[in-house]
Structure formats: C-alpha cells, structure tokens
Amino acid sequence: MPKISMRQAINDALHLEMERDPRVIVLGEDVSGGAGGTSGEREAAGGVFGLTKGLLPRFGEDRVIDTPISESCIVGAANGAALTGLRPVAEIMFADFVGVCLDQLLNQAAKFRYMFGGKARTPLVIRMTCGGGMNAAAQHSQTIYPMLTGIPGLKVVVPSNAYDAKGLLLTAIRDDDPVIFFEHKSLYMDECEVPDGDYTIPFGEAAMVREGEHVTVVALARMVPLAIGVVDKLAAEGISCDLIDPRTTSPLDEETILESVRATGRLVVVDESPPRCSVAADIAAMVAEKAFHHLKAPIIQVTAPHTPVPFARELEAAYLPSPEKIEAAIRKVLGSR
Amino acid sequence: MQISREQMLRAYRQMVTIREFEERIHVDIQRGGIAGFTHLYAGQEAVAVGVCEHLTEKDKIISTHRGHGHCIAKGCDVIGMMKEIYGRQDGLCKGKGGSMHIADLDKGMLGANGIVGGGPPIAVGAAITAKVLKTGGVAVSFSGDGASNQGTVFEAMNMAVVLKVPKIFVLENNGYSEHTGFSYAVGSRDMVRRTEGFGMPVFQADGYDFFSVYEAMRQATELSRNGGGPCAVYAECTRFFGHFEGDPQLYRAKDEVARLRAEKDSLKIFRQRVTETGLLPGSDLDQVDGEVRDLIDRAVREAVAAPAPTAADVLTDVYISY
Ligand SMILES: Cc1ncc(C[n+]2csc(CCOP(=O)(O)OP(=O)(O)O)c2C)c(N)n1
Ligand SMILES: [Mg+2]
C-alpha cells in the first residue's frame, strides 16, 4: 500500500467523491486561487495548505468555487445549497475564523432538522484547519472542536492520521447531517499507508491504536502521534497502555473507552484544547459517571492551560501538551493507587 | 498643501523605516530566526505614513494581519516591534502576540489583527469613545480589498454613518486578497462607489504617492474631526512581497513585482518629487537612509540577543484579576 500524507489523503477523498457524486461542490477562500490574478495561472493555490489542489482543473468553476473573504456567507451558502439538493464541502481556512460565522453553524445548520420537525436534510461538510505547533499565535492556532462538539445537531470529526482522514472524510460527505471536519495543521505532512480506492470509516467508532493493560490513554488529533511515542516507550519498561483515538467527538464512542477503563482502572485523557468545557473534561466526566467503581486512581487530563495560544516558540512549546507531560501523567496515574 | 520641511523629513524617515524593517525581516526569516506567519507591508508605505502623519496619540488606529507599516507609522517602538516578531520576553507584546498582533495602546495603536475584517467594528467603538468623551480624536481602521468584502466591514460602515462618529475607513487596495485578484473578489470592481453607497464621502489617493495620501487624509480628518461623521480614504497600492513570507505568488505575472519596484516605488517617487522641486536636498534623504539602516541593524541585534520568554509567562495576562 502506498504511504501518503494526510494532506494527500484528504485531497484524494475530495477527488474521489466529486468524481462519484456530481452533487458535491467545494467552496471557500482560495480553494483554487488565481482568479483575477495577473499571471493567468488559474489554479494558483489549490487551498492555502494545498488541500483542494487539482479540483478546479478536473471539475470546473461551477463546482469548485473561490469565494470572497466572507465566512458567514460561505457557511450560509453551504447551508442553503445543502438544504436544496447539493452536498457542499465548504472550507473555513482556519478554524479560528468560525468566530466570524458562528451563527450559520450554531443557529442554522445545526438546528434545521430539529426545528423543522425532521423535514430538513443538510448534508454538508465544513473542513477547517486547526491546532498549534506552527507559532501561528492566538487567532490561527485554536482547536475549537470542544465548542462545536457541544452543539446538538452537528457531527464533529477529528482525525489523527492520513488513513482515518480519508475514510472519515468520505463518510462525512456521504452523511446527511452537517459535519465539521477538523484538520490539524501539524499533521498535514504526516504519512501512513492509505489504500488508493474508496473506503469509509463509520462515525462514533474509536480506533484502538495500542492495546495494553495498565492504563487507558485517550488522545485526539495531533496528540495521538505524541501519545503513541510515549506509550511505545513505556511498553519497553513494562508499562502497557490502551491508546484510544475517538476519531469523532460527536458522536463519541463511549463504549470503547468504558470497556478499556473497566479493564485498566486508570484513565489519562490528552487534548491540546484548553481545559474548561473541553472534550477531555467531557470524556473524564463520562467515565467518572459510568465507570466510577472501576477506577483505581483519579482521572488525569493533559491539556493546554486556560489561556489563549501564545506566539513565541518557547511559549507555545510550554503551552501545548508534550510527550513529557503525557509520560508524567501516565506515571502519576499509576503511582497513585 | 502646507507641509513643513521637518514634517517631510519625518514622513520620509517613517517610510524608509517601514521599508528597511520589512526588507530585513524578509531576509532574516530565511535564516530561521523568526517563527509563525509574517505578512510584509513593503510597497504600501505611502499609505500608512500619509494617513498617520495626520494623527496624534489621542487618535486611534486599528490594523490588519499586514500590520508592521501601520504600527511604525503610528509611532510604535521599532526595537520593541522587532523583539516581538522574534518572540522575545521584552517585545512590545512580551512575545505573546508576534507579527500578527503587535499593539501599543499608549500610542493609540489598537493592534494588528489576524481576523480579516475584525478591525473596523472595533474602530467604530473607538470613535464612539471619542464622541462621548469629546477627546477630539478620530478612529481609523485599515482594511484591504479582500477585507472590504467581509460583512463586518459593511456593518461598521453603516453603523458609523448611522451614529455619525469620527471614524475614517482607510481602504488599501493592493490588488490581491491572498492568491485571489481584486477584480474577481470585489463584485462591483468599485470599492469607492460601494463605500459611498453607505452614505459617506470617499477621498481618493494615489497610494504610491505620500503627498497624495497626505492630502486625502487631510480632507478626511478635517471632516471627521469637526463633527462631519465618518468618511473613507481609498488608495490603490501594491505589496512588493508575497501575501505571506513563503508565498510563491503563482497568481502574479512574473515581472509584475520588478516592474512595480522600478516604476511604483513610493520611496523613489518621494525622493524624486522633493529633490526635483527643491523641497529637500538629496543629501538630507541619504542621511535618513543611513540612520534608518543603523536603527534596523540595532533592532535586529537587540532582538536576537534579547531573552526568550519562559514557561511561566504562558499563564500571565489572561485576565486583569481572576
Ligand atoms: C476572517 C478571516 N478570513 C480569512 C483569513 C485569511 N486571510 C488572511 S489575509 C487574507 C487576505 C486579505 O486580503 P486584503 O484584505 O486585501 O489584505 P492584504 O493581504 O492584501 O493586505 C486572508 C484571506 C483571515 N485571516 N481571517
Ligand atoms: Mg489586498
């Protein structure tokens, strides 16, 4: 099987699905780029991270739509197109910019079906780049999936590798509900084996990344590769962990996490979002409620602090959960019997 | 136009400072000293300086992701800025913000802004303050052609007119929003009439010519400072570098930047104008050039040597009290 990057995997999924389903459109800022430029190069960008490259030449301007900088209308138009028969895949360049267009997610897309008594169908995907690691500072580094996970009516996907990203994106586009698809910018170039063709990964099904017996580690997005490094290192010392990647935070595969915690009795949750009202807190609360009597130690959450994301290299490095912090948490949860 | 020799020299110094600052960062980024996303303002100097020469500390400005020029023109400390861009503990924002978030509230500089279209509504608020507290100040927002398509900018324009506040919208059309051309993304291809449609006058300037921007802004401040409500200054200009550092600029004709540097360089245009008309001798300008180069050298030297922030600094300044 070929090894490809997460960026390539997402790009492949977009190509596959646009080929298969003529109702799929892509829209966003600079998804092709070059319109109105002076070089005559029509696809001058293909997305600022290159995720949508090749779509314009293949599928044309009607289906690959460069928009002005107008996030409210990008998401609003995706909502409207989805309600009326298309399957839009909109791009918000950085997840942080959801700040500009939150209404279209919070009050519109998420609620149509419920408010309209089950009559609406809003098959849309909003892709957005999230996360830290590039010193992009407070307005270009956030992982806002906890906030969107808390909105009933939205589904939220947070892939950690190329294989999952492709299968989950194909599922997302075929799903009839609004799906928010988070792409961690520091994972784009990470490679793994990915099949060429079509395959889907169901929502609400966690991946068991490593199996062990002493500790359950749940990690999301970029924290998964970090946690893999730690878990593999500790395995050599005889400390073995279940490492679970939920892959979707809404729906959340509670059962896989609970089953693991029932066996290990110890839980470490790792996420790079700030700690309050977070996915980490949500998982910890769920386990505390449903597997309390199996716990042998207090749950530990490894998260960013309750601060915005800082700019300087040293500050961002201190802000983000690190392998050292994950390792310390695993040792601590084992120590405090 | 009334402009003193001292003021002309100061304006020139500001423009050269912006240029040298940006040219230097362009080089230093490739050496790896600077992290994050950096958007350079070189090429647009005449706009920032022509506008800010009419402002004092009681006047507020708010900038964009491409903020270095606006910051320098409004009087931010160049060494503090360089340290901030290098992510240093004693940078203007203590290394917390970086290039996209440089601010100096004491200087009336309400921040560069990473959110396109984030600034104009905030400037409406600053204009309300000026009106309520009768400070005599004006609030100025800078936005690009790309930002001009953002709903927040339309809302700010309308509300400023409704409230009749001292607010000046400076619209810098440099032809591109990221990789997309102005002629595609601005549907009417006419930002001036679109702005006038909100009910405010627009003073047009040649964005390559300091004197032209200075004159447009003179009219703008005269109107807004004296209770005439909001207005706009519109200038076409160009950026000499990519959208961000690292942009291959595939959307631009190959010779475009070289041609603009040759024909539309606001520093050359300024120099030609003042020397040919005998307003300033070239030797005065040469002296400024040398002094600015020394200043930028010093800024980089100090920034490189400055202390990095520590892990404990992550937790400070989230709140005033908590
Ligand atoms: C809300 C929001 N949308 C998109 C972006 C990404 N972005 C940053 S700058 C930019 C282009 C801005 O163009 P313009 O306003 O013309 O300013 P210029 O870059 O030309 O100075 C875009 C799309 C952003 N930072 N914020
Ligand atoms: Mg522009």
Side-chain angles (χ1 to χ4, degrees), chain A residues 30 34-35 38-39 66 71 139 306, chain B residues 114 150 179-181 184 250 256:
Chain A
D30 288 309
T38 47
S39 66
D66 268 321
E71 282 80 9
Q139 296 175 339
H306 183 63
Chain B
Q150 188 72 286
H179 313 265
T180 295
Y184 172 80
L250 301 178
E256 182 172 296

Side-chain angles (χ1 to χ4, degrees), chain A residues 29-30 69 71 93-94 97 100 140, chain B residues 39 44 64-66 100 113-117 143-148 150 172 174-178 239 243:
Chain A
E29 294 157 16
D30 288 309
I69 309 177
E71 282 80 9
M93 198 182 285
F94 287 78
F97 309 161
V100 179
H140 287 73
Chain B
H39 309 82
Q44 304 183 204
T64 69
H65 56 286
R66 199 176 302 291
M100 265 192 293
N113 202 310
I115 302 300
V116 170
S143 352
D145 48 295
S148 81
Q150 188 72 286
E172 292 185 84
N174 64 4
Y176 297 100
S177 58
E178 291 204 343
R239 53 172 157 79
H243 169 65

Side-chain angles (χ1 to χ4, degrees), chain A residues 29-49 53 61 64-73 93-94 96-97 99-100 134-140 142 185 276 305-319, chain B residues 32-37 39 84-88 94-101 112-116 146-147 149-152 175-186 244 248-254 256 308-316 318-319 322:
Chain A
E29 294 157 16
D30 288 309
V31 290
S32 61
T38 47
S39 66
E41 174 80 47
R42 186 52 187 85
E43 191 191 52
V48 292
F49 290 100
K53 229 184 186 62
E61 292 186 356
V64 182
I65 303 169
D66 268 321
T67 69
I69 309 177
S70 306
E71 282 80 9
S72 288
C73 197
M93 198 182 285
F94 287 78
D96 315 68
F97 309 161
V100 179
M134 291 179 77
N135 308 107
Q139 296 175 339
H140 287 73
Q142 298 170 89
K185 58 174 84 67
R276 300 296 310 280
H306 183 63
T307 79
V309 186
F311 162 68
R313 287 191 174 109
E314 297 79 3
L315 294 176
E316 196 189 35
Y319 170 92
Chain B
I34 296 167
F37 300 154
H39 309 82
E84 185 59 32
I85 290 164
Y86 270 81
R88 298 311 196 210
K94 302 181 186 169
K96 291 249 176 69
S99 166
M100 265 192 293
H101 307 296
N113 202 310
I115 302 300
V116 170
N149 300 318
Q150 188 72 286
T152 51
Y176 297 100
S177 58
E178 291 204 343
H179 313 265
T180 295
F182 156 79
S183 67
Y184 172 80
V186 174
F244 61 98
Q249 303 191 69
L250 301 178
Y251 48 89
R252 262 181 142 168
K254 278 214 164 38
E256 182 172 296
T310 66
D313 295 327
V314 172
L315 303 178
T316 60
V318 181
Y319 303 95
Y322 194 59

Side-chain angles (χ1 to χ4, degrees), chain A residues 75-88:
Chain A
V75 180
N79 287 345
L83 271 178
T84 52
L86 294 181
R87 304 188 81 85

Side-chain angles (χ1 to χ4, degrees), chain B residues 266-288:
Chain B
S266 57
L267 298 184
K268 288 186 195 157
I269 291 170
F270 184 100
R271 178 181 279 266
Q272 196 174 7
R273 170 88 174 266
V274 298
T275 52
E276 279 176 7
T277 54
L279 289 167
L280 287 173
S283 56
D284 281 13
L285 303 180
D286 296 341
Q287 190 185 335
V288 170

Side-chain angles (χ1 to χ4, degrees), chain B:
Chain B
M1 189 191 314
Q2 283 297 74
I3 176 162
S4 69
R5 213 182 109 94
E6 286 66 44
Q7 207 181 348
M8 272 189 293
L9 264 180
R10 190 181 62 202
Y12 181 72
R13 183 183 299 275
Q14 295 285 58
M15 297 206 313
V16 178
T17 306
I18 296 170
R19 176 69 55 84
E20 287 291 321
F21 191 89
E22 300 296 60
E23 296 277 4
R24 185 62 184 262
I25 287 176
H26 176 71
V27 171
D28 284 7
I29 273 188
Q30 287 153 43
R31 300 199 181 120
I34 296 167
F37 300 154
T38 311
H39 309 82
L40 300 181
Y41 190 74
Q44 304 183 204
E45 295 87 351
V47 184
V49 176
V51 165
C52 290
E53 277 301 301
H54 289 281
L55 306 179
T56 66
E57 285 179 15
K58 70 174 188 239
D59 300 312
K60 312 298 180 190
I61 70 165
I62 193 158
S63 173
T64 69
H65 56 286
R66 199 176 302 291
H68 305 168
H70 306 140
C71 291
I72 291 172
K74 193 67 172 64
C76 290
D77 173 44
V78 170
I79 295 174
M81 283 178 61
M82 191 64 88
K83 286 179 174 173
E84 185 59 32
I85 290 164
Y86 270 81
R88 298 311 196 210
Q89 195 172 36
D90 54 351
L92 213 43
C93 303
K94 302 181 186 169
K96 291 249 176 69
S99 166
M100 265 192 293
H101 307 296
I102 296 178
D104 191 345
L105 285 301
D106 294 337
K107 293 273 197 277
M109 202 293 159
L110 307 185
N113 202 310
I115 302 300
V116 170
I122 299 170
V124 171
I128 293 174
T129 301
K131 189 175 170 188
V132 172
L133 299 182
K134 300 189 171 49
T135 65
V138 296
V140 177
S141 60
F142 290 89
S143 352
D145 48 295
S148 81
N149 300 318
Q150 188 72 286
T152 51
V153 178
F154 298 156
E155 292 175 26
M157 286 182 169
N158 182 58
M159 200 189 288
V161 170
V162 169
L163 304 181
K164 212 167 185 235
V165 286
K167 163 80 181 72
I168 299 170
F169 294 84
V170 176
L171 307 174
E172 292 185 84
N173 180 359
N174 64 4
Y176 297 100
S177 58
E178 291 204 343
H179 313 265
T180 295
F182 156 79
S183 67
Y184 172 80
V186 174
S188 69
R189 299 187 181 181
D190 189 341
M191 289 165 64
V192 172
R193 284 184 54 204
R194 193 164 74 177
T195 305
E196 285 170 346
F198 283 97
M200 71 179 97
V202 180
F203 302 102
Q204 296 192 54
D206 173 352
Y208 304 96
D209 177 6
F210 163 79
F211 293 99
S212 170
V213 178
Y214 185 81
E215 173 55 20
M217 187 64 180
R218 188 190 62 73
Q219 296 176 49
T221 44
E222 192 170 287
L223 179 88
S224 290
R225 257 194 224 297
N226 298 310
C231 62
V233 169
Y234 172 82
E236 290 179 11
C237 50
T238 195
R239 53 172 157 79
F240 285 168
F241 293 109
H243 169 65
F244 61 98
E245 282 308 275
D247 173 7
Q249 303 191 69
L250 301 178
Y251 48 89
R252 262 181 142 168
K254 278 214 164 38
D255 61 342
E256 182 172 296
V257 173
R259 187 174 51 74
L260 288 163
R261 275 192 185 261
E263 295 167 12
K264 294 284 194 180
D265 180 332
S266 57
L267 298 184
K268 288 186 195 157
I269 291 170
F270 184 100
R271 178 181 279 266
Q272 196 174 7
R273 170 88 174 266
V274 298
T275 52
E276 279 176 7
T277 54
L279 289 167
L280 287 173
S283 56
D284 281 13
L285 303 180
D286 296 341
Q287 190 185 335
V288 170
D289 289 350
E291 287 167 7
V292 168
R293 265 196 300 276
D294 291 346
L295 172 68
I296 301 300
D297 276 347
R298 194 180 127 211
V300 172
R301 259 196 329 274
E302 291 194 20
V304 168
T310 66
D313 295 327
V314 172
L315 303 178
T316 60
D317 291 328
V318 181
Y319 303 95
I320 292 167
S321 66
Y322 194 59

